[in-house]
Amino acid sequence: MNKIIVLDTNVLLHDPQAVYSFADNEVIIPAVVLEEIDSKKRLADELGRNARSVSRLLDSLRQQGHLDEGIILRSGGKLKVELNHRSFVRVQEMFGDMSNDNRILAVALNYHLEEENAENPRSVVIVSKDVLVRVKADVLGLQAEDYQSDRSVDVSDIYTGYSTVHVHPSVVDEFYTYRFLTLKSLNLTQPIHPNEFIILRDELGTSKSALLKVSQDGTRLEPLYLSNDPIWGITARNAQQRMALELLLNDDIPLVTLSGKAGTGKTLLALAAGLMKVEDEHKYKKLLIARPVVPMGKDIGYLPGEKEEKLRPWMQPIYDNLEYLFDTKKAGDIDKILMGMGSIQVEALTYIRGRSIPGQFIIIDEAQNLSKHEVKTIVSRAGEGSKIVLMGDPEQIDHPYLDTISNGLTTIVERFKQEQISGHMTLEKGERSRLAQLAADLL
């Protein structure tokens, strides 16, 4: 065993199986972590579910031996609940108040001091998703790391859904002549995924170009199926929006993911496509729109009224886009329209768990605030004949323990990019207004 890994509570609440992620190292769970987990187990959200999962896992492991003495894990490492390294004199000298975070740091520090005098010293690492805990550990001279086992890719390598390839102008001419290209004819060096888009540009510098899509079997390049005609009054304003509509309106792609900054048109495009499929083509029985109830900034507390009245502040961005698409003139008109149609349902994600949703066009907004488990729960709700659209901005996350890489939206983009039934598009250019674009870029 090369290292001693001291786990913070938030790691286990983020991933209940985290104890198996450290190979043959010794994993230490401070006693105060058990107290924190116990305080969360009655919650009705994902935090409570994970706390209960950790409790059941530790209960099953204790059947193998005493946790305070340490037991061998299937990963080859050792797990131990620590009771004997609780002295916090050194930590209290530096940080004063002995909060739970400081008690966890004290355990790591005492192990570190003990290992310094050992014959074969091991390095001690505290693993936490709390930035300030890692900063405090650094001040104490401890090695600290973020929990990264659930990270699927580096930030610079996140799949965008399209690639730009510079080719000889004769290749562009060949495409316009035969209306398809084989992947072999491009001699590409980078991996290409099903339903990915390719922008061909003239390597000689002329304006000659072409926009193509990789076939679902990943063997050839085909022209886009759709023209750039308006859809519910919405016309694609840039290449990425046109590619996004191609995915949204393709009935053979039941899973679509959209990412991009505020104002790039994600919600508006998805709603327009959903309305066309439900109201015009009758491909789906209902348009279901949902988003997580996660506030930006200070929560406004409890709200009076029925469920619809309570949800209205959280769902208002959806209603704003629907008002634009229906071109309503007065306040309240959109509610009358939706009530009269009956085929459009706006919900909070709280009410989706446990449902089976067949034959519907499902839009999940702000998916970057969902964990990997929550995204799995939502996508697994889609029944036969349903299409689900997940969208959000991975750089605008309000969840305390998610980031650009570990959030559910990025995870599903990376896990499904090789699948024929899914497609992704990253929208980059803001189209809301020049002010909105400058705010997204500069702020």
Side-chain angles (χ1 to χ4, degrees):
M1 297 182 183
N2 301 318
K3 296 180 180 179
I4 295 176
I5 308 295
V6 179
L7 290 187
D8 195 355
T9 312
N10 49 54
V11 174
L12 292 171
L13 291 177
H14 178 75
D15 180 7
Q17 299 292 318
V19 294
Y20 297 115
S21 301
F22 302 98
D24 59 350
N25 297 303
E26 183 174 3
V27 179
I28 303 297
I29 299 179
V32 68
V33 168
L34 298 182
E35 294 296 322
E36 289 194 313
I37 289 174
D38 183 65
S39 69
K40 306 293 185 185
K41 67 184 182 182
R42 293 175 180 82
L43 298 177
D45 55 10
E46 189 198 12
L47 207 62
R49 185 198 69 84
N50 287 347
R52 294 187 291 273
S53 296
V54 173
S55 302
R56 289 191 292 268
L57 173 64
L58 293 177
D59 185 53
S60 65
L61 290 175
R62 74 181 182 86
Q63 306 300 321
Q64 303 175 27
H66 295 288
L67 291 174
D68 62 314
E69 297 175 0
I71 58 172
I72 302 300
L73 299 171
R74 64 170 184 253
S75 59
K78 185 178 181 180
L79 174 67
K80 186 176 182 181
V81 174
E82 186 50 59
L83 300 173
N84 299 322
H85 290 77
R86 295 185 295 172
S87 173
F88 48 80
V89 176
R90 291 282 300 273
V91 175
Q92 194 170 26
E93 288 176 356
M94 299 191 70
F95 298 116
D97 179 46
M98 282 314 301
S99 63
N100 287 343
D101 285 348
N102 289 344
R103 292 180 184 276
I104 295 170
L105 287 167
V107 170
L109 180 60
N110 291 330
Y111 265 106
H112 174 71
L113 296 174
E114 188 178 274
E115 289 296 317
E116 281 185 334
N117 300 319
E119 182 177 348
N120 296 308
R122 294 175 292 172
S123 59
V124 178
V125 182
I126 183 166
V127 178
S128 174
K129 295 195 71 64
D130 190 326
V131 175
L132 286 180
V133 168
R134 300 199 297 269
V135 171
K136 286 182 176 181
D138 188 68
V139 172
L140 291 168
L142 296 171
Q143 184 179 348
E145 296 179 2
D146 188 7
Y147 180 67
Q148 299 184 346
S149 294
D150 58 342
R151 295 193 168 204
S152 53
V153 67
D154 292 332
V155 174
S156 58
D157 296 327
I158 295 177
Y159 179 54
T160 61
Y162 71 95
S163 300
T164 300
V165 180
H166 291 85
V167 296
H168 192 274
S170 62
V171 177
V172 180
D173 293 334
E174 180 184 348
F175 166 70
Y176 283 117
T177 300
Y178 298 104
R179 304 300 294 169
F180 80 93
L181 289 173
T182 61
L183 286 175
K184 293 181 179 179
S185 65
L186 295 183
N187 296 318
L188 297 174
T189 57
Q190 73 269 30
I192 297 298
H193 307 97
N195 301 315
E196 183 176 354
F197 294 89
I198 303 294
I199 301 174
L200 297 182
R201 296 196 183 278
D202 184 358
E203 64 184 7
L204 301 181
T206 70
S207 60
K208 185 176 291 187
S209 65
L211 180 57
L212 307 87
K213 176 178 169 292
V214 179
S215 61
Q216 285 190 289
D217 59 11
T219 60
R220 51 189 271 163
L221 297 171
E222 303 169 337
L224 268 60
Y225 174 74
L226 299 171
S227 62
N228 202 26
D229 295 333
I231 298 170
W232 272 70
I234 301 299
T235 304
R237 294 188 177 184
N238 55 57
Q240 284 77 29
Q241 287 191 355
R242 188 177 178 193
M243 292 184 275
L245 284 174
E246 182 80 12
L247 297 174
L248 291 167
L249 296 172
N250 190 332
D251 298 330
D252 295 327
I253 305 177
L255 174 63
V256 175
T257 50
L258 302 177
S259 63
K261 297 178 181 178
T264 51
K266 305 181 296 294
T267 306
L268 193 62
L269 292 173
L271 287 173
L275 287 169
M276 180 176 179
K277 287 294 178 180
V278 173
E279 295 299 322
D280 298 344
E281 297 182 6
H282 304 288
K283 175 66 180 178
Y284 305 95
K285 295 182 294 184
K286 187 180 291 185
L287 174 59
L288 174 61
I289 311 148
R291 70 198 311 259
V293 180
V294 178
M296 183 188 74
K298 188 174 178 61
D299 196 346
I300 60 176
Y302 291 101
L303 297 172
E306 300 297 324
K307 182 186 78 170
E308 290 74 16
E309 295 173 287
K310 293 176 183 291
L311 291 178
R312 188 57 182 254
W314 309 106
M315 302 298 120
Q316 191 58 48
I318 302 296
Y319 286 103
D320 290 342
N321 283 280
L322 288 172
E323 287 173 354
Y324 180 83
L325 289 169
F326 283 99
D327 193 25
T328 58
K329 305 298 183 183
K330 298 178 182 178
D333 283 354
I334 189 63
D335 296 302
K336 297 176 183 176
I337 293 173
L338 297 182
M339 188 178 299
M341 295 176 68
S343 58
I344 303 176
Q345 182 179 358
V346 181
E347 280 278 16
L349 281 178
T350 307
Y351 304 103
I352 282 188
R353 184 186 294 272
R355 294 178 60 182
S356 179
I357 311 174
Q360 297 188 25
F361 194 103
I362 308 165
I363 298 175
I364 308 297
D365 198 10
E366 300 292 334
Q368 80 277 3
N369 282 319
L370 302 173
S371 69
K372 179 172 61 176
H373 174 77
E374 287 172 324
V375 161
K376 176 182 177 181
T377 300
I378 292 164
V379 175
S380 62
R381 298 303 99 206
E384 191 67 31
S386 285
K387 184 183 183 84
I388 186 165
V389 181
L390 294 159
M391 55 194 179
D393 180 2
E395 295 182 3
Q396 285 191 348
I397 295 177
D398 302 309
H399 192 291
Y401 299 129
L402 296 180
D403 57 29
T404 304
I405 301 300
S406 64
N407 69 85
L409 178 60
T410 300
T411 299
I412 200 167
V413 168
E414 291 299 321
R415 297 284 177 87
F416 274 80
K417 65 184 180 183
Q418 297 282 9
E419 302 299 324
Q420 297 183 11
I421 64 171
S422 72
H424 172 69
M425 180 49 51
T426 300
L427 302 171
E428 297 175 349
K429 186 178 179 182
E431 299 291 354
R432 182 173 290 162
S433 67
R434 184 168 179 268
L435 174 59
Q437 177 63 32
L438 283 172
D441 293 339
L442 301 179
L443 303 178

